[in-house]
Amino acid sequence: MKYCYKEISSRSKYDKLQIKKCHLEMGHTGSCSEFPFLEHLSKNFKRISDKIKRDSTMTTGAAWKSEDAGPNRILRWVMLASDENLKKFGINMENLKDGVVAKLREKAADYDSCIQVAIKLTWLVYQMEGAPKCPDNIKEYLESHFGEMSNITTCAICLDKIGFDLFHTAQRGKANLETCHLNPRMHDPMNVGFGHRECNIAQGNKTLDEFYEWIAAILTRSKNT
Ligand SMILES: [Zn+2]
Ligand SMILES: [Zn+2]
């Protein structure tokens, strides 16, 4: 799809690093929109549309804010800027622990990849069992990006079905459904999906291949004892 790509300015200081763009099709009528594919979800399931926006564009980062824990959540493309450039935005990478810097830097992704991830996640949401019906115009938009939609979305890790209702359940304040990465160090649409929280925790920082090998080795050993 050729996007309109008109600039959409926000009040974010990070607009200087990356201006937001319109992702409606070129030549569209009506006003521009950065996330047109989320229009229906944001009206009816705002928490889910906010989650898609957050997980696709923000790093996770530390749960608290302190000098050496680093910024809490930050736009992924901001983490592509040099240490020098980041200083202008009040982020001093030199003050952070090496481990924190490495974590933030490996979560970095360019703006276009983040938008494609958001489209992919939206495409997956509408295919979950029990998901609301996708409006035709949005369905067409999503399918033009990632192909025909079915009515099954599986956990990217354990490959079992995941239902839309998992978005509404939480344990100890933690959602049961998480955005996960086949390779935790790559944030692009081919590499993201939804997964059960427990599966995502089990996978940890391993790639999915490494994780499966690890599980297979455990199963082999357990059969031999
Ligand atoms: Zn536009
Ligand atoms: Zn799972």
Side-chain angles (χ1 to χ4, degrees):
M1 176 179 291
K2 270 218 147 124
Y3 301 116
C4 154
Y5 257 168
K6 237 178 232 154
E7 296 184 350
I8 300 174
S9 61
S10 64
R11 261 163 289 167
S12 166
K13 60 179 173 179
Y14 299 118
D15 274 4
K16 285 191 202 100
L17 280 174
Q18 171 68 57
I19 189 86
K20 302 189 166 86
K21 304 269 179 71
C22 170
H23 294 96
L24 278 163
E25 193 163 10
M26 195 185 255
H28 69 87
T29 53
S31 44
C32 287
S33 168
E34 189 183 18
F35 298 97
F37 46 92
L38 284 175
E39 194 196 14
H40 168 251
L41 285 181
S42 68
K43 264 187 213 142
N44 302 283
F45 301 92
K46 189 157 189 313
R47 267 186 42 225
I48 297 174
S49 105
D50 285 350
K51 177 179 172 56
I52 292 174
K53 281 186 201 170
R54 189 173 64 237
D55 290 356
S56 58
T57 64
M58 312 285 275
T59 68
T60 37
W64 65 94
K65 211 173 174 173
S66 75
E67 260 304 280
D68 62 1
N72 186 345
R73 279 179 179 272
I74 192 150
L75 293 163
R76 290 181 187 264
W77 51 90
V78 169
M79 278 300 118
L80 292 173
S82 66
D83 286 7
E84 183 115 342
N85 213 348
L86 287 174
K87 261 186 209 161
K88 295 179 203 153
F89 293 94
I91 302 168
N92 201 334
M93 298 297 273
E94 286 157 19
N95 289 352
L96 307 179
K97 287 182 188 145
D98 289 350
V100 173
V101 171
K103 242 191 195 149
L104 284 168
R105 290 296 192 189
E106 80 183 26
K107 298 265 184 316
D110 64 74
Y111 178 71
D112 291 329
S113 297
C114 292
I115 295 293
Q116 293 304 309
V117 166
I119 298 172
K120 172 85 181 280
L121 292 176
T122 309
W123 180 79
L124 289 170
V125 164
Y126 282 114
Q127 297 179 74
M128 289 175 182
E129 215 170 45
K133 191 184 174 311
C134 185
D136 288 343
N137 61 327
I138 293 178
K139 186 165 189 265
E140 204 177 297
Y141 185 98
L142 296 171
E143 289 188 335
S144 79
H145 285 76
F146 294 108
E148 206 177 313
M149 283 153 71
S150 68
N151 51 7
I152 295 172
T153 289
T154 53
C155 171
I157 300 162
C158 76
L159 310 177
D160 204 358
K161 266 196 266 182
I162 40 181
F164 186 74
D165 58 343
L166 271 189
F167 275 121
H168 311 306
T169 61
Q171 276 158 38
R172 274 177 262 138
K174 296 277 191 187
N176 283 321
L177 210 54
E178 293 186 348
T179 299
C180 47
H181 293 78
L182 310 192
N183 177 342
R185 288 161 291 279
M186 275 167 62
H187 189 66
D188 65 52
M190 291 309 134
N191 200 48
V192 297
F194 285 107
H196 300 106
R197 177 173 150 74
E198 62 261 42
C199 296
N200 200 26
I201 290 171
Q203 183 194 352
N205 212 31
K206 296 181 181 72
T207 66
L208 202 55
D209 286 342
E210 289 165 350
F211 177 64
Y212 287 163
E213 277 169 33
W214 181 68
I215 296 274
I218 294 173
L219 289 175
T220 306
R221 284 194 296 276
S222 74
K223 277 176 206 142
N224 293 337
T225 51

